[in-house]
Amino acid sequence: NAGVMQNPRHLVRRRGQEARLRCSPMKGHSHVYWYRQLPEEGLKFMVYLQKENIIDESGMPKERFSAEFPKEGPSILRIQQVVRGDSAAYFCASSPIERETQYFGPGTRLLVL
Amino acid sequence: GENVEQHPSTLSVQEGDSAVIKCTYSDSASNYFPWYKQELGKGPQLIIDIRSNVGEKKDQRIAVTLNKTAKHFSLHITETQPEDSAVYFCAAPPGGSYIPTFGRGTSLIVHP
């Protein structure tokens, strides 16, 4: 049973470009969570999705950030017009049902030049 | 919301010693407490968790204790090895929530 998969593992963008981060949950998991981690800090919740639905986006900035989890395919975290402050590690986690243990992917490290 | 405090931020031990990391939480309705280990360049990996209906749980060299009255829980690692070196995070979802609040992490360094 493959774990949570994220790609790309590293992403470099120039200010103003778009970043697309992909997450494939563990097999059988229909709940996906996105977190952001800044150096020397813990994980900050961004958004929680189930298939085709955003359940909780309270941690996601209102502008430039969006997320989706389509019926088919991976979950996507999209950052438009990136700025240097978006540089961070972005982690995806999945669980089979809510209120269950979350399993994390290896992360995507975004660097904005 | 939930507030999770984790201490210490850095812990340095000699191989073979024990290590203890402590977390406190604020929401008395929280009932699930996972611990994650994050190695450099990798994602957090669940190493042990505890639910509020038990006070202690062990898995080989790792144990977690929970004191619901005092609202704190601790990670205990015995006979530490260099490969235990990593950042450890505690977490606690507020009661009725599925979103854990994470501590700021403890960097554990085990010297051979």
Side-chain angles (χ1 to χ4, degrees), chain A residues 40-102:
Chain A
E40 310 295 322
E41 293 191 12
L43 295 135
K44 302 297 184 185
F45 166 75
M46 299 182 72
V47 61
Y48 163 41
L49 310 101
Q50 293 179 35
K51 283 286 187 182
E52 301 183 275
N53 289 302
I54 296 175
I55 307 302
D56 184 342
E57 56 183 346
S58 59
M60 195 159 66
K62 295 288 186 288
E63 297 180 357
R64 301 188 300 107
F65 285 74
S66 63
E68 63 177 8
F69 189 15
K71 186 177 181 180
E72 300 291 337
S75 175
I76 306 286
L77 178 67
R78 182 183 178 202
I79 311 173
Q80 295 178 292
Q81 300 176 322
V82 295
V83 301
R84 288 207 175 115
D86 296 332
S87 295
Y90 292 83
F91 290 97
C92 164
S94 73
S95 66
I97 59 176
E98 66 178 28
R99 296 198 182 91
E100 275 298 320
T101 301
Q102 297 181 16

Side-chain angles (χ1 to χ4, degrees), chain A residues 8-13 18-21 108-112:
Chain A
R9 295 292 305 277
H10 300 273
L11 183 61
V12 180
R13 285 288 179 265
E18 178 180 287
R20 279 181 175 248
L21 288 60
T108 294
R109 281 145 186 86
L110 172 66
L111 176 63
V112 180

Side-chain angles (χ1 to χ4, degrees), chain B residues 5-94:
Chain B
E5 300 282 341
Q6 183 172 347
H7 299 280
S9 57
T10 305
L11 180 57
S12 184
V13 300
Q14 288 295 130
E15 183 177 0
D17 288 350
S18 295
V20 181
I21 303 169
K22 298 179 180 179
C23 286
T24 61
Y25 60 98
S26 59
D27 188 343
S28 57
S30 294
N31 57 15
Y32 174 65
F33 308 93
W35 283 91
Y36 289 88
K37 174 184 180 182
Q38 186 176 25
E39 296 175 324
L40 193 63
K42 297 184 179 180
Q45 297 299 308
L46 178 74
I47 55 172
I48 196 167
D49 57 12
I50 191 169
R51 298 189 185 273
S52 59
N53 56 344
V54 297
E56 183 176 5
K57 183 177 178 180
K58 288 184 179 180
D59 183 2
Q60 299 182 350
R61 296 187 296 109
I62 295 173
V64 56
T65 58
L66 171 65
N67 184 326
K68 285 216 71 180
T69 303
K71 290 190 284 187
H72 67 70
F73 55 112
S74 299
L75 178 70
H76 305 253
I77 305 175
T78 58
E79 301 174 23
T80 53
Q81 301 167 4
E83 51 265 40
D84 294 330
S85 297
V87 179
Y88 291 80
F89 292 97
C90 64

